[in-house]
Amino acid sequence: MTDSVPTRPVQLRRRSLLLGTATSAGALALGLGATASPAQAAAFVKGADVSWLPQLEARGFYWNNSAGVRQDLFTILKAYGITAVSLRTWVNPSSDPANGHCSIEETAQLAQRAKNAGMQVLIGFHFGDTWNSVGVQNPPAAWAGMSYSQMRQAMYDYVYHSCNVIKYYGVTPAWVKIGNETNSGICKPTGSISRPAQMAGLLSAAYEMSKQVFPNTPVLVHVAQPQNLASVQNFLNAYRDNGGKWDITGLSSYAQGGNVPTVLANMQTIQSSYGKPIMQVEYGGPVGKPTQVRDSLRAFITGIKGFGGLGTFFWEPEGYPSFNNYNSSAWDDSTRRPTAAMDGFL
């Protein structure tokens, strides 16, 4: 990173009185703040999660464009029509290059860099010290022994502080995502879906603090595997029925080929059933099948756009398999060029 790093901000404490926000019915229907223009509301978002970028760069990785010319990653992404990046953040992460980092301060610095490159930013809270996903929802180690009321207070303080760190670096996120693939709840067992009132209470605390700092930024919940419609509905019903608030339903899907139409139909059902626009916040596919990944990406973009969904994010397209041992990528490890998968955005 070439950006200068300001002195660490003073620990910020949440206010005792939550601020109310007023939005028009139309803005709420779109999951947008009151200041959003019709042009902004109509724009379909093409995005990429690039949270590994600083750690890749620190280890000497770089990216060529399709012509083989080395460029800044943001410059290459913008040439594909990508206008937004998704950045995850963990509470007390390790220094492991692939499974750590992503503290709120590191994330805020990368968000500032993305903003300076002309990108919108989605901030995604995992509410853990490392990966949380559809199969794993572990609380941060510092929260593990807390009672529900203590954990809810910790959630208030953490999200309020984190959002203020983002603000300190001059970034207003376009979106904030509370939780990552939370089908089974968050911070289990305290916030398990089997304890729906506590699950909703924890997520609502995150929603409220995000809105206090960024009142016009829409907040997403994030559910995985829309091919399993019942799992998604189980979470959304439990959250809604226990007072949970959200503006956009975020969905992960890595479906390929003939599986895409069923997933798209379920996404449309989810959008119409809950009155919230959907956004595909994770997509990807095998690095060795770039044309399949390209065609499936095109199908998702066309389909989601067709029923009024908000956008699609490719998960870590820049993440070389030699760095992270993941098979999902859109850059060739040997040539450092984007694969045909990226053409799905064109």
Side-chain angles (χ1 to χ4, degrees):
M1 280 182 61
T2 58
D3 293 334
S4 60
V5 180
T7 304
R8 181 178 179 83
V10 175
Q11 179 72 26
L12 298 156
R13 301 296 298 172
R14 77 178 180 97
R15 301 173 198 169
S16 59
L17 180 63
L18 301 182
L19 302 178
T21 60
T23 54
S24 69
L28 283 172
L30 289 165
L32 298 170
T35 59
S37 69
Q40 288 173 314
F44 186 86
V45 178
K46 296 178 181 179
D49 187 321
V50 295
S51 302
W52 269 322
L53 175 58
Q55 303 315 315
L56 283 157
E57 288 177 327
R59 282 151 185 81
F61 289 92
Y62 62 91
W63 296 267
N64 294 329
N65 63 20
S66 59
V69 178
R70 182 171 175 174
Q71 286 183 309
D72 177 79
L73 180 64
F74 291 123
T75 301
I76 302 173
L77 294 177
K78 289 167 73 174
Y80 282 97
I82 290 174
T83 60
V85 296
S86 175
L87 306 177
R88 64 181 166 269
T89 191
W90 294 326
V91 180
N92 292 304
S94 74
S95 59
D96 182 88
N99 304 306
H101 289 275
C102 298
S103 68
I104 189 57
E105 196 153 328
E106 290 175 314
T107 300
Q109 292 165 16
L110 184 54
Q112 181 188 62
R113 179 177 166 189
K115 176 194 171 184
N116 291 342
M119 295 285 199
Q120 292 180 296
V121 176
L122 184 158
I123 297 295
F125 290 106
H126 274 238
F127 302 130
D129 294 334
T130 187
W131 306 102
N132 274 323
S133 64
V134 66
V136 178
Q137 291 293 331
N138 293 322
W143 299 9
M146 291 181 176
S147 66
Y148 164 65
S149 61
Q150 291 171 329
M151 190 176 287
R152 192 160 191 254
Q153 183 64 51
M155 181 71 80
Y156 275 122
D157 292 342
Y158 168 67
V159 175
Y160 182 71
H161 171 69
S162 296
C163 286
N164 272 291
V165 173
I166 297 290
K167 189 175 183 179
Y168 175 87
Y169 279 88
V171 177
T172 297
W175 311 272
V176 168
K177 181 166 69 70
I178 52 172
N180 193 77
E181 299 187 336
T182 57
N183 300 54
S184 64
I186 64 165
C187 297
K188 293 167 67 175
T190 304
S192 169
I193 198 169
S194 63
R195 302 174 180 178
Q198 293 186 176
M199 177 190 79
L202 292 173
L203 285 169
S204 293
Y207 180 94
E208 291 164 6
M209 288 298 98
S210 176
K211 289 292 188 179
Q212 182 166 345
V213 182
F214 300 117
N216 294 321
T217 294
V219 175
L220 295 82
V221 291
H222 177 192
V223 199
Q225 299 176 349
Q227 70 271 22
N228 184 353
L229 186 58
S231 174
V232 174
Q233 291 173 325
N234 190 38
F235 168 80
L236 293 175
N237 289 344
Y239 186 52
R240 177 196 61 194
D241 295 347
N242 285 275
K245 296 179 181 178
W246 77 103
D247 304 315
I248 298 169
T249 303
L251 297 167
S252 299
S253 181
Y254 293 77
Q256 301 288 304
N259 294 322
V260 174
T262 298
V263 171
L264 282 168
N266 287 355
M267 286 179 168
Q268 186 171 9
T269 296
I270 292 162
Q271 178 164 292
S272 61
S273 297
Y274 297 94
K276 312 288 185 184
I278 71 98
M279 179 180 282
Q280 185 180 17
V281 293
E282 288 187 28
Y283 169 78
V287 67
K289 297 182 178 180
T291 56
Q292 172 187 289
V293 177
R294 174 200 65 197
D295 294 345
S296 300
L297 176 57
R298 285 176 177 165
F300 270 120
I301 290 173
T302 299
I304 292 170
K305 190 184 296 185
F307 62 73
L310 300 182
T312 295
F313 282 77
F314 200 119
W315 185 79
E316 296 282 12
E318 89 297 355
Y320 292 113
S322 60
F323 166 77
N324 55 40
N325 295 318
Y326 282 77
N327 188 36
S328 179
S329 176
W331 247 268
D332 185 271
D333 235 322
S334 58
T335 67
R336 299 292 193 254
R337 296 188 187 193
T339 70
M342 290 297 293
D343 293 341
F345 283 113
L346 299 176

